Amino acid sequence: MTDRRNSDEAAIAMSQRRSQGQIVVARALWYVKPGHAELRTERLGPVQPGAARVATHYSGFSRGTERIVANGDVPQREWQRMRAPMQAGEFSFPVKYGYSATGIVTAGPDALIGRHVFALHPHQDHFQVATDMLHPIPDGIPIKRATLAANMETALNAHWDAATGLGDKVLVVGAGAVGFLVAHLAKRIAGTQVAITDTDSAKAAIAGRLGLKFFASTEAPKDNAIVFHTSATAAGLDTAIEACAFEGRVVEMSWYGASPVSVHLGAAFHSRRLTLVSSQVGHVAPRRRAGTTHKDRLTMALSLLDDPALDALVSDEIAFDDVAARLPQILNGSTGGLAPVIRYTQI
């Protein structure tokens, strides 16, 4: 038995060494001009020490941010701050962008081979990164659901910025993936009253699957201690301000790129002593920064994807081969619902 096991292990090691030295031709999605993208090939050389190769199973869109990138609307003064961790190319075009990929390690250290991992990597069918850029997906969390990790990290950081507490009345304005995750986390805090609102009444079905109360934007509940705004519209921000209680907090999570936004700060904004808080995932929230690294935060975000109900946020798929042609309707939401998850052929 021992001889057979040693033989099997030797065969696995030999297969790994062959894989390490292979040159792979990968394909990646590149934004090439406003509203247009294409799949481009690139050669991945042998895997170097301290790195690993991943075969991608799924990747997720951040519809709001990637719409701005795809339209060339990233302000020039933000080009360096808005770089994704493994971005290639430069703003505005051409650029390879994205930060929500999951897959299986096919070459690299023995301890990682065969592991399901998450990486902040653009949309690409095979990629190589330093091993410290890979985050093992916890057991029990499906690899498709794990594409929500970057969005969950954004939602987690927003709650740290908001200092959401026991018994708070919370409203989320904007029922996209991030908005739903913010509401989902709020609902996990004891005693909270949580609701979500959107102009698209079809989102009520997704809210129901997550056990959340949904309201049309004209019927959003008032007097909320904390209102999170994720719709990236001026009208949504006005709704958020109007829905706040006395001395309440509006947490602005939307990014508008180069587009100006009009906000009504007249009426009762000052008399109700409201606070407008900016929340952005590029930095760990100040109240947690001293003891929490970016890696710590992402590890926590992955662990918080332990609820099967969250599969409602990744139910729609699109094949990687079809993404470039269908990109405009995906990013502009003309297909309805949430942005689809990209499915790769090696699944």
Side-chain angles (χ1 to χ4, degrees), residues 208-234:
R209 292 175 64 184
L210 292 172
L212 297 168
K213 295 180 180 178
F214 179 90
F215 293 87
S217 55
T218 56
E219 301 171 353
K222 307 297 185 184
D223 298 320
N224 299 277
I226 304 173
V227 181
F228 295 91
H229 177 235
T230 69
S231 80
T233 66

Side-chain angles (χ1 to χ4, degrees), residues 42-60:
E42 59 186 81
R43 290 165 62 88
L44 305 180
V47 179
Q48 300 301 311
R53 179 182 296 151
V54 176
T56 312
H57 283 194
Y58 294 99
S59 63

